[in-house]
Amino acid sequence: MYIYDEYDQRIVEDRAKQFRDQVRRYLAGEFSEAEFLPLRLQNGLYIQRYAPMLRIAVPYGVLSSERLRKLAHIARHYDKGFAHITTRQNIHFNWPNLEDVPDILEELASVQMHAIQTSGNCIRNTTTDQFAGIAADELIDPRPWCEIVRQWSTFHPEFAFLPRKFKIAINGAEEDRAAIGIHDIGLNAVRNDAGELGFQVLVGGGLGRTPMVGAEIRAFLPWQHLLTYLEAILRVYNRYGRRDNKFKARIKILVKALTPAVFGEKVEAEWQNLKDGSATLTEAELQRVAKYFVTPELESFAGDDAGYLDKRSSDQGFDNWAMRNVHPHRAPGYAAVTLSLKPTAISPGDISDKQLDAAADLADDYSLGEIRSTHYQNLVLPYVRQKDLYEVWQKCRQMGFATPNIGLLTDIICCPGGDYCSLANAKSIPIAESIQRQFDDLDYLHDIGELELNISGCMNACGHHHVGHIGILGVDKKGQEFYQVSLGGKSGRDAAIGQILGPSFAADQMPTVVQKLIDVYVQNRTPEERFIDTFERIGMAPYKERVYAANH
Amino acid sequence: MQQIIKGNQVVEDTWQLLPKDASIENLTNSGDIIVPLALWLEHAHALKARDGGLGVWLDADEEAESIIDDLQHFQVIALNFPVFSDGRNYSNARLLRDRYGYQGELRSIGDVLRDQLFFMHRCGFDAYALREDHDPHAALASLQDFSEVYQAATDQPLPLFRRR
Ligand code: HEM
Ligand code: SF4
């Protein structure tokens, strides 16, 4: 994990101080709500339906037991005992008081955390693979690169007032678990023929009203030029991105209007002026940052732990959990474990203060103090010995982390929706719950297999519904809450935007609708096909037919 | 007369800012004026012939590139922020300073608020005409909001990683 030095520390402390003064001036009536808005947003502070909402940055999802305990403390003292993991690996608090936020930021600064640029029209938290540094299919560890981008983007003076928010994701593995295709900039680590490291650069992905998959503007950017090239992209966007219409202001609209090729030329022309400037990365800086991410000393094991395998064959419950929530690790005898935050009837991604403390204990006792947040709104213990897994499972069961559903239908990605969010067209959490209840039979759930179901309460798409294999979007029909369903979305290497199934449904129809979609899949699948594969093979028609036929 | 921040001090402003639709007709020969870009582009010759000081101002949708051959004629370049959340002129400022070598006064005008001053300074501004209802004396403190920065910019040619 990256450890702040005196410089990094000073910057977050200065920020906490600055924001304290801004809040003081706001409360003293020295500026209007409109002027306070961008200031509080750049600190992740929204004013929502019932209370402010504070978004805290978890840079590229890396947490520690110490940080979790601090978050638990904040949840207890400043919130109603809950935190929420978001689809961008960040943490939300839904009930802080505005007056307390400066204190919260100070508390965060004490564990090297902050809420800098977690909202507003600026460069947001850079996200990546939750299995960074442990996945077997990794070309490079993306975390040092994320940290380098974090530092470059933090208080970048030229890009604090972009046309719209800006999100960067970095992938360093074979598979793309960072969803780089749906980010404003997606960086994909590649090696050229000479074996040198660089990045493939995608630009213009994003969801929201006009969902788009990013287009490549450079096949290979040598790593030394990463920051100057990013600077060139951002400058072109800052100057030419639309500012007349908030809904057309994302970079994707500019890229589409110009075409990726022309946009790429503009970037290239700008970059010629910046290339080889002082922001060119050095081997020394890369080493300085990378040393915080070297794999810790692990015990050496010859292979899989025999006791673990025995337990799996003798204990069905444990095996179910191991099948879904335990992930392969680069180091023999080790595993990564996902703590499911998706038990039925709990808002997806919600975690209580007690659970935060318990997760911190698990991290300390079994995972070298490290823990990660994922864009699927769960937590991951990255360094668990296989021989400890049975014990970990038992503790997970006590703490409500053991729902064996990772990657399955009930591991739903869901935004806060109408229960919290003032932009919502419809509630989303109760829909997630009703679907989880419909599919509460574990064997059946496992039989359905891998499936991503994503729910957003409006077209802002915070729940990534466009890239769910099944996507659900809350819509407003004459003041009533309705839900539109899409199929075939994907967020990995071959990212795709889902296609709309047809007319929308009332809330109480949703479990049945999903059930019918699953029935069509189960009846048509070949043994090796996942839901998405069958859909791609047989197309929309059979699903449409089944769902709407029964409606008449 | 308005007070502005110049460098690290509050001073009386001696320049007259002409509105966007200003015409060449009623201009006096003396006096320091900041003219809109359109007026400059149309009447450069006449404006250069005046005895008073000359500056030009660009709106957020106007580009630094349109004046880069004329920089030696301006004692002041003012960049307008129609609303503080329109960040285009941060890029124009950096281009004028870093790429085109402009050395004269670079002033922010329009919806200029104290919480933006630190960023403006980093992008090469050295004068700030705060929005009229804002107190420039109180705002001075915001130029010191941060004691360290990560990126290279106009005020600091080296990124932190080359200095730490
Ligand atoms: C409750 C307060 C929230 C508000 C007011 C809010 C607002 C918005 C808005 C307006 C957008 C669209 C911006 C655009 O397209 O330019 C957006 C996008 C997004 N939000 Fe939220 N959001 C909230 C909560 C969340 C939560 C809890 C999550 C995670 C679970 C989240 C994750 C995202 C993501 C990932 C996007 C990006 C989609 C894209 O790429 O376009 N948001 N949000
Ligand atoms: S998708 Fe809409 S309803 Fe859901 S959190 Fe985002 S803005 Fe709110």
Side-chain angles (χ1 to χ4, degrees), chain A residues 48 415-418 421-426 428 455-463:
Chain A
Q48 278 309 309
C415 82
C421 175
S422 42
L423 303 179
N425 286 327
S428 51
I455 309 178
S456 306
C458 77
M459 40 223 252
N460 287 317
C462 303

Side-chain angles (χ1 to χ4, degrees), chain A residues 100-176:
Chain A
D100 290 336
V101 172
D103 292 336
I104 298 177
L105 293 186
E106 216 166 273
E107 299 246 18
L108 288 171
S110 74
V111 292
Q112 312 196 334
M113 292 184 78
H114 58 76
I116 295 166
Q117 290 168 212
T118 51
S119 185
N121 296 332
C122 50
I123 305 171
R124 306 283 191 87
N125 184 23
T126 299
T127 51
T128 191
D129 184 354
Q130 68 267 27
F131 297 122
I134 54 177
D137 67 341
E138 199 164 87
L139 178 70
I140 56 151
D141 185 342
R143 292 171 301 169
W145 301 98
C146 290
E147 178 59 28
I148 285 169
V149 172
R150 182 190 77 81
Q151 297 193 9
W152 165 78
S153 61
T154 298
F155 303 129
H156 197 300
E158 189 179 340
F159 306 131
F161 296 96
L162 296 168
R164 204 72 184 86
K165 60 180 170 177
F166 204 90
K167 302 171 180 181
I168 303 175
I170 306 182
N171 176 47
E174 197 72 34
E175 206 183 307
D176 170 17

Side-chain angles (χ1 to χ4, degrees), chain B residues 93-99 101-106 124 126 154:
Chain B
R94 289 203 66 191
L95 290 170
L96 286 168
R97 289 281 196 225
D98 302 352
R99 188 160 306 161
Y102 174 68
Q103 309 257 321
E105 178 181 313
L106 190 58
D126 59 354
T154 309

Side-chain angles (χ1 to χ4, degrees), chain A residues 301-490:
Chain A
F301 297 104
D304 285 339
D305 183 74
Y308 161 61
L309 297 179
D310 281 351
K311 275 279 185 235
R312 279 191 69 166
S313 47
S314 63
D315 187 328
Q316 180 65 43
F318 178 59
D319 188 52
N320 284 339
W321 177 77
M323 210 154 42
R324 296 311 326 175
N325 299 29
V326 173
H327 316 276
H329 202 284
R330 205 185 278 171
Y334 276 82
V337 170
T338 299
L339 308 184
S340 172
L341 302 183
K342 312 288 181 69
T344 298
I346 300 288
S347 303
D350 265 11
I351 181 165
S352 70
D353 61 327
K354 286 197 189 67
Q355 285 181 308
L356 283 162
D357 276 330
D361 292 343
L362 284 171
D364 275 340
D365 295 345
Y366 301 102
S367 186
L368 308 174
E370 235 198 79
I371 190 154
R372 316 239 174 114
S373 55
T374 80
H375 82 268
Y376 292 102
Q377 307 181 278
N378 292 308
L379 293 173
V380 164
L381 298 171
Y383 300 108
V384 183
R385 295 181 301 194
Q386 286 181 350
K387 64 176 182 189
D388 293 335
L389 283 170
Y390 195 75
E391 227 170 273
V392 169
W393 176 58
Q394 286 171 319
K395 293 199 174 167
C396 281
R397 288 213 296 179
Q398 285 162 17
M399 292 314 303
F401 291 139
T403 316
N405 63 348
I406 300 308
L408 301 180
L409 194 158
T410 57
D411 184 11
I412 295 173
I413 293 183
C414 183
C415 82
D419 291 300
Y420 297 100
C421 175
S422 42
L423 303 179
N425 286 327
K427 293 196 176 66
S428 51
I429 294 167
I431 300 298
E433 182 180 337
S434 69
I435 294 170
Q436 285 171 332
R437 290 198 189 284
Q438 177 80 15
F439 294 91
D440 65 349
D441 182 301
L442 198 59
D443 291 333
Y444 181 45
L445 189 64
H446 279 241
D447 176 59
I448 295 167
E450 282 179 27
L451 197 159
E452 294 186 12
L453 191 151
N454 300 355
I455 309 178
S456 306
C458 77
M459 40 223 252
N460 287 317
C462 303
H464 288 181
H465 66 277
H466 300 108
V467 291
H469 301 164
I470 299 177
I472 298 177
L473 164 66
V475 292
D476 178 288
K477 259 199 195 169
K478 302 197 185 98
Q480 303 267 48
E481 300 192 352
F482 272 75
Y483 298 88
Q484 186 181 74
V485 174
S486 57
L487 296 178
K490 287 192 290 191

Side-chain angles (χ1 to χ4, degrees), chain A residues 46 48 53 55 84-88 92 164-165 167 182 206-209 246 250 252 377 414-416 420-423 460-464:
Chain A
Y46 287 83
Q48 278 309 309
M53 180 199 84
R55 183 181 294 155
H84 176 81
I85 314 276
T86 81
T87 42
R88 305 204 67 259
H92 277 179
R164 204 72 184 86
K165 60 180 170 177
K167 302 171 180 181
I182 54 166
L207 300 177
R209 269 162 215 259
K246 176 177 157 167
R250 296 280 296 271
K252 63 193 172 189
Q377 307 181 278
C414 183
C415 82
Y420 297 100
C421 175
S422 42
L423 303 179
N460 287 317
C462 303
H464 288 181

